[in-house]
Amino acid sequence: FLAHPNHSRSRSGNENFWKNALKNFVWGDPQKLTDSDVLRFQWPSIGKDWERGLLAFSRSRLSSSSSSPFDDDGRLLRDIQRLEGVRVVIMYGSKDRIVVIDGVVAERLKQDYPNVKLVRLEGMGHDPFEEDVDVFLNELEKVLGQACHSSNG
């Protein structure tokens, strides 16, 4: 599939491709997926030569000198959480099927990054910030309020 950009263009430019992918893999509640949501994901894929950029990026990540593509991300997260006055919050959906954080992964994150706050959003999928903006912002405001309160008290 990745070796043939024309195949990816014909599939991903199709509205049904995005609608099905978002319903089946990204949205926690597929009933809340709107046509506007589908268009936001579809538009970038209709651009000329977008697939060449995706292939170049994928190849560069696969041929990285790092032993694991996650090593750099872990190092970056460790460095960021050490910065003075910086709080790291990872908000994730309980129904995320792309990046599953529950269980062992959540425990490992808590162990390896004790200063990182994990916030699980019930019923949400991979894009909780788009799926339900109000719920996402309310939860983020709660976390930020707690962080401000604890740093002032």
Side-chain angles (χ1 to χ4, degrees):
F1 181 78
L2 284 177
H4 302 286
N6 291 335
H7 294 304
S8 58
R9 174 181 283 290
S10 64
R11 288 188 182 122
S12 63
N14 179 321
E15 178 183 347
N16 288 331
F17 170 87
W18 286 108
K19 187 177 284 188
N20 291 334
L22 292 170
K23 280 185 174 184
N24 293 324
F25 300 106
V26 179
W27 249 243
D29 182 352
Q31 299 301 319
K32 292 183 178 180
L33 182 67
T34 67
D35 290 339
S36 176
D37 296 326
V38 174
L39 280 174
R40 274 197 322 277
F41 281 82
Q42 184 183 8
W43 281 342
S45 68
I46 341 180
K48 185 175 185 218
D49 290 334
W50 71 271
E51 66 279 358
R52 293 186 200 285
L54 176 62
L55 288 172
F57 173 78
S58 299
R59 285 187 188 113
S60 73
R61 295 303 293 168
L62 291 172
S63 64
S64 170
S65 61
S66 169
S67 60
S68 164
F70 300 106
D71 288 347
D72 290 339
D73 293 338
R75 191 173 316 120
L76 177 63
L77 185 54
R78 274 189 289 283
D79 291 346
I80 289 173
Q81 76 172 359
R82 290 182 190 136
L83 295 173
E84 186 177 331
V86 172
R87 303 252 193 281
V88 178
V89 179
I90 298 175
M91 299 178 73
Y92 65 97
S94 66
K95 292 186 174 183
D96 189 337
R97 292 179 293 269
I98 296 174
V99 179
V100 180
I101 295 183
D102 287 335
V104 174
V105 175
E107 290 307 314
R108 176 91 188 261
L109 281 168
K110 290 175 188 175
Q111 177 185 339
D112 291 353
Y113 308 99
N115 296 327
V116 172
K117 172 81 173 164
L118 295 178
V119 177
R120 182 175 191 229
L121 300 171
E122 292 300 323
M124 300 282 189
H126 185 65
D127 286 342
F129 52 90
E130 290 190 84
E131 207 170 324
D132 194 327
V133 175
D134 292 333
V135 168
F136 180 84
L137 290 176
N138 286 336
E139 291 300 316
L140 182 58
E141 286 174 354
K142 284 181 199 175
V143 172
L144 293 176
Q146 292 168 357
C148 289
H149 180 69
S150 66
S151 66
N152 291 332

